[in-house]
Amino acid sequence: MTYTMHEAQEVAKLGAIDISAWLRSKPETISVVNVENDPDYQRRDVDLIWTTHSSEILIEIKGDRWNKTRNLFFETKSNLEKGTSGCFMYTEADWLFYYFVNTRQLYRLPMPKTREWFLITMRRFRERATTTPVGNSYYTNVGRLVPITTVMMEVAGIKMEQL
């Protein structure tokens, strides 16, 4: 499967807009700050800082359009050619918000608990690669297709929200 850089950015932008609006509507919310363009948070792979009455929560957003497969794509390599780890492997976020932009379904996955489970069980899930063209070149993302029902049954604390 191939995506353009523009398509990937559009999905990510939509996800951040929808999720920020949803978080701002919650009574416990004090603030939601988008840090996608902040180099310090980019390095930590964090997109939003959600401040509530009781805590500050770091969120990584994964936007996706392919909800018909009933899988989540956990990225293990963000750039195969350069050998860079995928966001799922190194995000410092407290929560991974996996968002299907077409259906507005949001899966809230606790990190690092979900990653710890995935590292133990990942070999049982199919590996897939997608390429993203950049100018005259491209890069390859690699990850595993994880059935939503499996991760929800096996990792405590995952929640599904309809935005």
Side-chain angles (χ1 to χ4, degrees), residues 117 121 124-125 146-155 158:
W117 165 85
T121 65
R124 69 194 233 223
F125 304 118
V146 179
I148 294 169
T149 50
T150 302
V151 71
M152 288 190 78
M153 281 189 309
E154 297 182 12
V155 180
I158 295 178

Side-chain angles (χ1 to χ4, degrees), residues 10 12 15 33 35-36 104 137:
E10 284 302 305
V33 179
V35 292
E36 288 175 300
R104 296 174 57 89
S137 187

Side-chain angles (χ1 to χ4, degrees), residues 3-124:
Y3 301 102
T4 67
M5 192 66 156
H6 179 72
E7 287 170 330
Q9 289 169 335
E10 284 302 305
V11 170
K13 196 186 305 178
L14 270 174
I17 290 167
D18 287 355
I19 290 166
S20 294
W22 177 72
L23 289 172
R24 283 187 184 102
S25 76
K26 299 179 89 41
E28 67 269 30
T29 298
I30 294 171
S31 70
V32 178
V33 179
N34 186 314
V35 292
E36 288 175 300
N37 297 321
D38 180 320
D40 290 334
Y41 285 102
Q42 285 175 339
R43 204 170 18 262
R44 299 168 66 192
D45 214 35
V46 169
D47 295 324
L48 299 178
I49 302 171
W50 176 30
T51 305
T52 68
H53 294 292
S54 58
S55 61
E56 184 178 272
I57 301 157
L58 302 179
I59 297 169
E60 166 61 12
I61 298 169
K62 168 77 169 116
D64 198 331
R65 288 171 300 188
W66 296 99
N67 57 303
K68 294 198 176 23
T69 67
R70 304 300 299 147
N71 291 311
L72 304 179
F73 182 77
F74 290 170
E75 185 184 73
T76 55
K77 295 268 184 233
S78 69
N79 187 323
L80 184 63
E81 292 74 22
K82 289 185 178 173
T84 19
S85 283
C87 71
F88 189 81
M89 305 308 266
Y90 71 87
T91 181
E92 293 179 29
D94 302 307
W95 289 87
L96 173 69
F97 278 21
Y98 200 107
Y99 183 61
F100 290 103
V101 295
N102 296 340
T103 58
R104 296 174 57 89
Q105 280 183 317
L106 172 64
Y107 292 88
R108 298 193 293 156
L109 294 86
M111 295 298 275
K113 185 195 299 187
T114 306
R115 178 174 42 231
E116 289 163 6
W117 165 85
F118 177 71
L119 289 172
I120 294 164
T121 65
M122 69 186 263
R123 283 171 197 76
R124 69 194 233 223

Side-chain angles (χ1 to χ4, degrees), residues 122-157:
M122 69 186 263
R123 283 171 197 76
R124 69 194 233 223
F125 304 118
R126 286 183 315 199
E127 190 171 68
R128 284 288 180 267
T130 63
T131 57
T132 303
V134 182
N136 295 330
S137 187
Y138 69 92
Y139 64 92
T140 307
N141 297 93
V142 179
R144 302 276 176 154
L145 294 175
V146 179
I148 294 169
T149 50
T150 302
V151 71
M152 288 190 78
M153 281 189 309
E154 297 182 12
V155 180

